[in-house]
Amino acid sequence: MPRPRDTTGDREEAASRSPRCGGGRERSDEEPPPQSTLKIEEFTVSLRPGVSWYHEAFKIFERAGFVIVNDVLTDDQSEKVLKTCEDVAQQIIEIDPRGNRAKGRYSIGTAFSSGSSLHLPEFSEHLLGAGALLEPLLCKIFHKNGKADFQCYSGGGDFVVPGVKEFQPLHGDIEMKFHDEKMPPPFVSVNFCVQALTTWNG
């Protein structure tokens, strides 16, 4: 069960749950999202067993700082993780209707006293298991002085309720005074997309 946040003197409700476009304009459910200007295919590879997909993925990561790897989760795994996320999100919203990161914005991991969500069976079974499929890529990313040295130390997730207009600014998830090495990076987030991602919800 997520831990309650101290809301003494804080009774501001979360943003409206109704779907909105940029600028707050109401939109219909049939209205298609606008096309993204990002050429996703230039940053995407597919995980193919027996094929050295991770070499191509590493080149993209080294150039762009991120890479999209398709086919890591099965449809069944995605559905199970999504169901868990939806259940946990509802519990968090009931405890903290305002948002534990900003108005209408939530972190799943920090909602728990451990600061992580890896105790959730669907997270540990499906996401950590799928993460093992990415090990060849992670070994290349974190390779230094003849060896790969990395570990998974936490797990979480983020969600935003419908109607939130503010975008989160570009930021780093760790604080560093100085880092002058391009590779390996000090930290990598592995994000699993378990539902359709569009310009409406992304």
Side-chain angles (χ1 to χ4, degrees):
M1 183 70 181
R3 59 180 175 179
R5 182 171 72 92
D6 182 8
T7 56
T8 304
D10 182 6
R11 292 289 181 265
E12 184 177 0
E13 291 296 318
S16 167
R17 268 54 173 179
S18 63
R20 292 180 180 272
C21 318
R25 176 175 63 84
E26 293 283 352
R27 65 172 175 84
S28 68
D29 291 335
E30 293 77 24
E31 186 177 351
Q35 280 192 330
S36 171
T37 57
L38 181 68
K39 296 180 179 179
I40 297 294
E41 64 278 3
E42 295 181 2
F43 306 94
T44 304
V45 299
S46 291
L47 192 154
R48 302 182 298 277
V51 179
S52 299
W53 58 271
Y54 52 90
H55 293 301
E56 181 184 356
F58 176 73
K59 291 179 181 178
I60 296 173
F61 182 90
E62 190 174 33
R63 182 184 76 248
F66 74 96
V67 62
I68 301 169
V69 182
N70 285 334
D71 306 318
V72 177
L73 293 177
T74 65
D75 290 344
D76 181 63
Q77 288 175 316
S78 294
E79 290 173 3
K80 289 178 178 177
V81 174
L82 177 59
K83 177 64 167 57
T84 296
C85 289
E86 291 174 338
D87 291 344
V88 171
Q90 187 59 45
Q91 295 175 41
I92 295 173
I93 291 173
E94 289 175 359
I95 293 172
D96 184 1
R98 185 183 184 280
N100 64 11
R101 295 181 62 197
K103 185 177 180 180
R105 192 179 300 277
Y106 294 86
S107 171
I108 295 178
T110 58
F112 296 99
S113 58
S114 65
S116 175
S117 307
L118 292 181
H119 63 283
L120 299 172
E122 290 75 15
F123 276 52
S124 57
E125 178 182 353
H126 301 302
L127 300 189
L128 280 181
L133 298 175
L134 300 173
E135 185 176 3
L137 173 58
L138 294 172
C139 284
K140 287 186 70 66
I141 291 174
F142 288 104
H143 191 271
K144 185 178 181 180
N145 298 327
K147 64 177 182 179
D149 186 14
F150 66 92
Q151 62 180 333
C152 173
Y153 71 88
S154 185
D158 302 288
F159 68 95
V160 180
V161 298
V164 174
K165 303 175 185 178
E166 297 79 12
F167 289 89
Q168 185 180 30
L170 187 65
H171 66 286
D173 285 337
I174 58 174
E175 294 183 5
M176 296 188 64
K177 291 184 178 180
F178 184 71
H179 184 73
D180 62 353
E181 290 184 322
K182 180 179 179 181
M183 298 293 290
F187 177 95
V188 168
S189 292
V190 179
N191 296 289
F192 296 91
C193 186
V194 292
Q195 62 183 161
L197 188 63
T198 72
T199 47
W200 287 148
N201 65 14

